Amino acid sequence: MRSSDWYLTEDVEDFLARAGGFLRARPAEHVMQLTWAERVRTRGRGAFERTPLFGVMEEDGQVSGTFYHLAPRALGLSPLTPEQADSLAARLADLGHSPAAVGADHDTATAFAEAWQRHTGATPKLRDVRVRLYRLGTLTPPEPHPEGRARVLGERDLDQAVFWCGEFAKAVGEDVTIDAGTWPSTRYADKRYTLWETPDGIPVSIAGMNPLIGGQIQVDIVYTPAHLRGHGYAAAVSAEVSRAALAAGAQEVVLFADRSNPTSNALYQRLGYRPLSDWSGYDFVST
């Protein structure tokens, strides 16, 4: 396989014209490809720290793989064979690119990490946080519901959304500043949020969902403060946002969960989500 089989472009419209049909044919597998391409398309590449780079693997006139790189974020890959991953590593190394990390389904991420080490000498380090991708089957709301109600956050609730997303980011160790000034540039700004409130109007849990892209909606985020867990709030708000995603026309609803958290994984499966694939990330350490 020749490295020239990879077509690289900084034009997201060009990327989607070439690979959009391929990505939308299996949207769950390509959820991150579709999501970040849409963010670049709607925000404009000038909204990002560095010019985004996209790539398409074409074999015999057919698309068989893709990548995106929004440095300094990790290189994101669609499912690739070891041979495809190796050819991409060779191409990027030849062009002088130096991604700090890679993220994808576990087999693809591992294949690329090993190839990158072969071609550059950089040592891959497996990240501690590994996630599982779930796809919704038949939604099964929790019974009984906790007391309270769901409420969709609107534009007047921006302060509330900023606060809750900041709490979520701190809880998962995400290195990001979330306040009124940085909000528009974060991944949190383009979501629709739903709160679960107690009968007296106190917010106790939040869930968000991304826009409808390629017939699919990703549920992201779900968060309940530690001192309020164990009351069914996360299950209730997750069910509500999943129902909203279906009502918005999603043919597929997906979400990621930390594989090390048995509580959240069990919760999503009770709601009707089924495991699709395990994802991993590797950081690259230059030697």
Side-chain angles (χ1 to χ4, degrees):
M1 184 176 295
R2 304 182 311 277
S3 62
S4 58
D5 290 333
W6 281 96
Y7 173 83
L8 276 57
T9 180
E10 296 178 349
D11 185 340
V12 68
E13 297 290 359
D14 182 24
F15 170 70
L16 290 172
R18 289 174 176 268
F22 169 79
L23 298 175
R24 291 188 294 270
R26 297 194 304 277
E29 293 180 7
H30 302 131
V31 55
M32 300 309 296
Q33 311 280 314
L34 290 164
T35 298
W36 282 105
E38 181 64 12
R39 284 182 179 145
V40 174
R41 192 188 69 80
T42 56
R43 297 184 186 184
R45 63 184 184 181
F48 296 86
E49 186 172 331
R50 302 178 198 171
T51 301
L53 179 67
F54 300 92
V56 182
M57 164 64 83
E58 297 175 331
E59 299 176 274
D60 299 323
Q62 300 295 318
V63 176
S64 58
T66 65
F67 79 83
Y68 66 92
H69 190 209
L70 282 67
R73 295 181 177 89
L75 178 73
L77 310 176
S78 70
L80 301 176
T81 66
E83 294 77 16
Q84 291 170 334
D86 185 81
S87 70
L88 176 59
R91 179 70 184 281
L92 294 178
D94 286 347
L95 293 175
H97 292 284
S98 55
V102 65
D105 68 273
H106 180 74
D107 289 347
T108 297
T110 300
F112 183 87
E114 292 172 349
W116 192 246
Q117 184 174 30
R118 287 194 301 272
H119 289 285
T120 68
T123 301
K125 181 181 179 181
L126 183 63
R127 291 181 174 177
D128 293 334
V129 177
R130 305 171 205 177
V131 297
R132 178 161 292 156
L133 177 62
Y134 285 90
R135 178 168 52 198
L136 182 62
T138 301
L139 180 61
T140 307
E143 290 293 344
H145 268 290
E147 292 186 348
R149 67 185 183 97
R151 181 172 72 84
V152 176
L153 293 180
E155 292 183 4
R156 291 179 296 179
D157 297 301
L158 178 60
D159 289 344
Q160 184 77 73
V162 169
F163 172 76
W164 279 92
C165 290
E167 293 298 292
F168 170 82
K170 287 187 287 186
V172 300
E174 188 171 341
D175 184 17
V176 61
T177 299
I178 302 177
D179 55 32
T182 62
W183 177 259
S185 65
T186 69
R187 70 183 184 88
Y188 299 95
D190 56 1
K191 305 182 193 300
R192 175 187 174 189
Y193 294 98
T194 298
L195 283 177
W196 190 266
E197 295 181 331
T198 62
D200 51 357
I202 298 175
V204 291
S205 191
I206 190 171
M209 68 180 192
N210 287 340
L212 179 66
I213 305 170
Q216 174 179 259
I217 287 178
Q218 179 189 355
V219 173
D220 176 48
I221 60 170
V222 178
Y223 175 69
T224 305
H227 69 284
L228 294 172
R229 294 169 190 169
H231 300 284
Y233 300 139
V237 77
S238 296
E240 285 300 318
V241 79
S242 299
R243 192 195 330 270
L246 294 171
Q251 298 174 350
E252 292 191 353
V253 183
V254 298
L255 57 78
F256 286 97
D258 184 345
R259 285 159 52 190
S260 68
N261 188 332
T263 300
S264 62
N265 283 266
L267 182 157
Y268 297 133
Q269 291 184 61
R270 288 197 302 272
L271 294 178
Y273 283 89
R274 298 294 176 257
L276 187 61
S277 59
D278 290 342
W279 285 46
S280 298
Y282 288 85
D283 294 306
F284 297 123
V285 181
S286 298
T287 56

